[in-house]
């Protein structure tokens, strides 16, 4: 598809913007629309909610978590083990540790800084940053699979399988992006499509 010159962002409230764009790589079925929510972490805090921490232990949809806790937005946090409650990799917040184990995956979203002088949110690529030093400054950490590296390179190999994709990213101004495409694409092609969008995307983690 043709490259976009610009993206029309809709301002929902201060620090929160939404856009829908047609993917530069078309899906075989569906509307090929990529939905982006841009969040300024100066205006919003990142919270982690887990079924493993809930009093009733029950799983909830993203919509149910958002309604229950009055959230402005919600997205899946990471990949889960067979119990549908435990993350496959490191996942912790100030209130709850879902999984204390660091896996081989190279992307870690850190949030809830312990020091007011730190950026409110960072997406760390372990191949170009010292995770131990950075993560020590944050109460919250969610590890996942790197999609777009700190060098803005698509590191996901091509596969024949296609599915809906979701990602968390950061742009060149440190804003957080929640990204979703319902129509099926290979994750490699999804990452390529994101790199082609004029949104200043720096790196992403698959969720």
């Amino acid at each position: 598809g043709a490259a976009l010159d610009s993206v029309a962002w809709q301002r929902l409230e201060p620090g929160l913007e939404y856009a829908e764009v047609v993917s530069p790589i078309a899906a075989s079925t569906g509307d090929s629309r990529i939905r982006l929510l841009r969040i300024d972490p100066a205006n919003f805090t990142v919270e982690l909610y887990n079924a493993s921490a809930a009093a009733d232990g029950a799983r909830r949809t993203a919509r149910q978590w958002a309604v229950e806790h009055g959230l402005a937005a919600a997205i899946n946090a990471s990949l889960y083990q067979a119990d549908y409650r435990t993350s496959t990799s490191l996942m912790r917040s100030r209130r709850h540790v879902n999984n204390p184990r660091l896996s081989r995956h190279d992307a870690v979203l850190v949030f809830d800084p312990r020091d007011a002088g730190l950026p409110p949110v960072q997406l760390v690529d372990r191949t170009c940053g010292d995770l131990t030093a950075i993560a020590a400054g944050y109460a919250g950490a969610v590890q996942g699979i790197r999609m777009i590296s700190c060098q803005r390179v698509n590191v996901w190999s091509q596969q024949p399988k296609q599915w809906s994709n979701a990602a968390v990213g950061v742009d060149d101004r440190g804003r957080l992006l929640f990204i979703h495409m319902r129509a099926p694409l290979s994750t490699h092609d999804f990452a390529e499509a994101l790199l082609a969008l004029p949104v200043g995307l720096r790196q992403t983690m698959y969720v």
Side-chain angles (χ1 to χ4, degrees):
L4 286 172
D5 292 325
S6 63
V7 168
W9 291 97
Q10 176 189 357
R11 186 173 179 268
L12 304 179
E13 57 181 286
L16 192 67
E17 297 165 289
Y18 179 74
E20 290 188 11
V21 299
V22 175
S23 170
I25 301 174
S28 54
T29 61
D31 65 4
S32 292
R33 297 189 78 79
I34 299 174
R35 292 158 175 90
L36 306 120
L37 186 70
R38 187 164 68 184
I39 305 153
D40 188 338
N43 296 68
F44 294 89
T45 57
V46 175
E47 299 278 352
L48 175 67
Y49 293 96
N50 297 116
S52 57
D56 57 8
R59 289 181 284 149
R60 293 158 171 80
T61 65
R63 181 184 294 276
Q64 287 169 333
W65 284 117
V67 170
E68 185 174 330
H69 295 280
L71 309 179
I75 195 168
N76 191 37
S78 188
L79 305 177
Y80 292 86
Q81 297 180 30
D83 66 357
Y84 293 102
R85 286 174 175 78
T86 307
S87 175
T88 57
S89 304
L90 176 70
M91 182 179 284
R92 60 171 164 82
S93 68
R94 194 177 291 265
R95 300 180 303 271
H96 176 71
V97 177
N98 174 273
N99 187 343
R101 185 180 66 86
L102 196 66
S103 76
R104 60 182 174 82
H105 295 317
D106 284 326
V108 182
L109 182 75
V110 293
F111 54 95
D112 189 6
R114 301 183 191 278
D115 181 340
L118 291 170
V121 177
Q122 293 191 61
L123 185 52
V124 182
D125 181 341
R126 296 173 68 195
T127 68
C128 61
D130 183 351
L131 176 66
T132 302
I134 296 170
Y138 291 83
V142 174
Q143 184 180 19
I145 305 175
R146 189 176 54 145
M147 282 177 58
I148 296 171
S149 75
C150 59
Q151 306 297 330
R152 293 195 81 248
V153 172
N154 178 2
V155 295
W156 203 290
S157 58
Q158 185 62 281
Q159 297 169 296
K161 290 185 177 178
Q162 298 184 342
W163 38 58
S164 297
N165 284 278
V168 170
V170 291
D171 71 6
D172 49 17
R173 290 174 52 185
R175 292 172 295 192
L176 195 61
L177 289 159
F178 287 178
I179 310 165
H180 181 246
M181 182 173 173
R182 186 183 301 278
L185 272 188
S186 72
T187 302
H188 172 275
D189 285 352
F190 180 58
E192 284 295 305
L194 296 182
L195 283 169
L197 297 181
V199 296
L201 189 64
R202 198 166 71 224
Q203 59 195 88
T204 60
M205 178 174 79
Y206 182 83
V207 296

